[in-house]
Amino acid sequence: MQETEFDWKTEMTEFGTSHQGRPGAVLPDGTEPEPVLFDMGSSAYFRKTSDWWVYDRDTLRAPRAAALRGACSCGWRGTALYPVDWQEVAAEGPDLYDTQGPRNDWKQHIADVEHQAVPVPEDVAALLGRLRERLDVLSADAPLAALRVVASLEHTTAEAAEAAAYAARADDQSWATVATGLGLTEADARTRLHRYARRY
């Protein structure tokens, strides 16, 4: 079964899939509707979706949503509700319907996550930026040299990641603290540290 796809991705690549956003449907009683299942033409294959536009009372007999709000894959839900004009949805189609309000709320959520995460030192951020620029040029001018540099970086970062993961766990911080510091959900934080330091 496929899950609902998230429309909005953050530019913070280190957040991975922890913080992907979408417009979330809200029913008249203020609750979030259950995902809808529909047959893709094979009895062995069903798709599961929470895409807001299926909650129109006509599609798949789903209940009608009264409003939209920002929703994130981490579980965050926006508090502001934006009423759905179903006539406009029918006229323009869901892809053209204005969901900027929920998206702006989700962007603020991402800004809050980034603010709470441990900051990357400015000199390291600047160094990474210069390195990326240099690799872009090298990839065009001397691709084999670029590949050698990347291989060296992979080895260096793997060693640093392992040492950092062990040190982070040696500090005996809660998983909630680690997750907040990395800007991830607890599940994704555990996965990342397990990948870097397999003993945990």
Side-chain angles (χ1 to χ4, degrees), residues 14-199:
E14 69 269 25
F15 290 170
T17 58
S18 282
H19 299 288
Q20 297 179 341
R22 63 180 174 83
V26 182
L27 298 178
D29 64 1
T31 62
E32 185 169 319
E34 293 293 323
V36 175
L37 295 175
F38 59 94
D39 191 345
M40 295 294 290
S42 168
S43 59
Y45 184 76
F46 290 85
R47 185 171 186 269
K48 177 178 168 183
T49 183
S50 293
D51 289 332
W52 68 269
W53 48 267
V54 303
Y55 299 99
D56 62 358
R57 199 167 49 209
D58 297 320
T59 303
L60 305 173
R61 300 189 198 127
R64 173 168 281 194
L68 300 178
R69 65 181 171 189
C72 187
S73 56
C74 71
W76 171 89
R77 297 295 183 265
T79 56
L81 299 180
Y82 301 86
V84 180
D85 183 340
W86 285 108
Q87 289 186 336
E88 186 176 337
V89 175
E92 297 186 356
D95 289 341
L96 296 179
Y97 189 73
D98 182 10
T99 59
Q100 194 60 47
R103 184 169 191 169
N104 288 341
D105 294 341
W106 173 77
K107 285 181 177 179
Q108 182 57 54
H109 162 64
I110 296 303
D112 294 341
V113 169
E114 185 178 0
H115 178 73
Q116 293 173 24
V118 173
V120 175
E122 289 184 12
D123 62 323
V124 176
L127 181 62
L128 288 172
R130 291 197 302 274
L131 179 60
R132 177 58 190 266
E133 290 175 1
R134 185 67 181 96
L135 279 172
D136 286 344
V137 173
L138 200 59
S139 295
D141 296 343
L144 296 181
L147 289 172
R148 288 196 64 192
V149 172
V150 169
S152 179
L153 284 172
E154 287 176 344
H155 180 73
T156 300
T157 56
E159 288 185 338
E162 183 177 13
Y166 284 134
R169 294 312 296 142
D171 286 345
D172 202 29
Q173 299 179 86
S174 70
W175 280 110
T177 300
V178 171
T180 299
L182 294 177
L184 303 174
T185 63
E186 286 192 38
D188 286 349
R190 286 177 182 269
T191 298
R192 184 166 296 180
L193 263 67
H194 289 174
R195 186 171 75 245
Y196 291 155
R198 299 185 183 280
R199 117 164 81 165

